[in-house]
Amino acid sequence: MRILILAVGQMRVSPEGVLTEDFLDRARKLGRNIGVAGIELEEIAVSKLGDVKRRKQDEAERLAARIPAGAEVAILDAAGKAMSSQAFAEWIGALRDRGAKHLVFVIGGPDGLVAPPGVRAGRSLAFGPQTWPHLLARAMLAEQIYRGMTILAGHPYHRA
């Protein structure tokens, strides 16, 4: 299985970007041993359209074009469902075990996210009821992916 994080906006060099890449590198190394063939982060530019509704639709269409056919899709949304780290790891493990080829996490831009056209999200995830900065949400997601890999591998990083 391959994991893809699709995000609106460029991270550039930032503390959040360094942290995100650190956790993704750790997850990539550990994932190879437990059936996760790759973990990637792809960014699309924030839309330059003037109207917020049109901007969000433009971003959604460009995100949809990057989602592999048949992928399992999870959208990060403050109104989504929070999961414990253990449940998150078990969900990833179950997808891997049933033969899912792609798991895609979608993070919207500064104006939020509308559902990418033609894409049915199987999950809507939240990191609690707060609204988080998009760059920090990427770092938090990368950490949870790494933590999930450690749980699946029986590594001591996660201590419940």
Side-chain angles (χ1 to χ4, degrees), residues 102-126:
H102 300 278
L103 170 57
V104 179
F105 293 95
V106 180
I107 302 174
D111 296 312
L113 178 68
V114 295
V119 175
R120 188 186 74 73
R123 296 262 176 174
S124 179
L125 299 174

Side-chain angles (χ1 to χ4, degrees), residues 6 17 21 27 31-32 37 43 48 55 58 63 69 99 107 116 118 121 128 131 134 143 147-148 155-156:
L6 284 176
E21 280 306 316
R32 287 184 218 126
E43 300 172 320
K48 295 191 184 332
R55 243 190 335 263
D58 176 51
L63 287 166
I107 302 174
T131 299
H134 289 87
E143 192 280 338
R147 184 176 297 273
H155 186 281

Side-chain angles (χ1 to χ4, degrees), residues 1-6 11 17-43 138 141-150 153:
M1 181 171 74
R2 300 185 69 76
I3 295 176
L4 173 62
I5 300 169
L6 284 176
M11 194 157 3
V18 171
L19 187 59
T20 299
E21 280 306 316
D22 179 52
F23 281 119
L24 291 179
D25 285 342
R26 292 183 197 193
R28 286 178 190 114
K29 291 172 186 164
L30 194 55
R32 287 184 218 126
N33 298 325
I34 60 168
V36 177
I39 303 171
E40 299 303 324
L41 169 64
E42 291 184 20
E43 300 172 320
R138 292 180 199 190
L141 177 59
E143 192 280 338
Q144 283 301 293
I145 291 170
Y146 172 63
R147 184 176 297 273
M149 300 293 107
T150 65

Side-chain angles (χ1 to χ4, degrees), residues 53-131:
K53 185 176 178 181
R54 288 182 47 216
R55 243 190 335 263
K56 288 169 45 173
Q57 188 62 39
D58 176 51
E59 292 167 353
E61 289 170 5
R62 289 186 291 127
L63 287 166
R66 307 284 285 272
I67 297 173
E72 296 288 335
V73 178
I75 293 178
L76 271 64
D77 183 355
K81 181 182 177 196
M83 296 177 80
S84 69
S85 296
Q86 185 68 39
F88 185 76
E90 290 170 3
W91 172 61
I92 290 173
L95 291 173
R96 175 203 60 196
D97 294 347
R98 78 162 206 245
K101 293 194 184 305
H102 300 278
L103 170 57
V104 179
F105 293 95
V106 180
I107 302 174
D111 296 312
L113 178 68
V114 295
V119 175
R120 188 186 74 73
R123 296 262 176 174
S124 179
L125 299 174
F127 292 127
Q130 302 87 6
T131 299

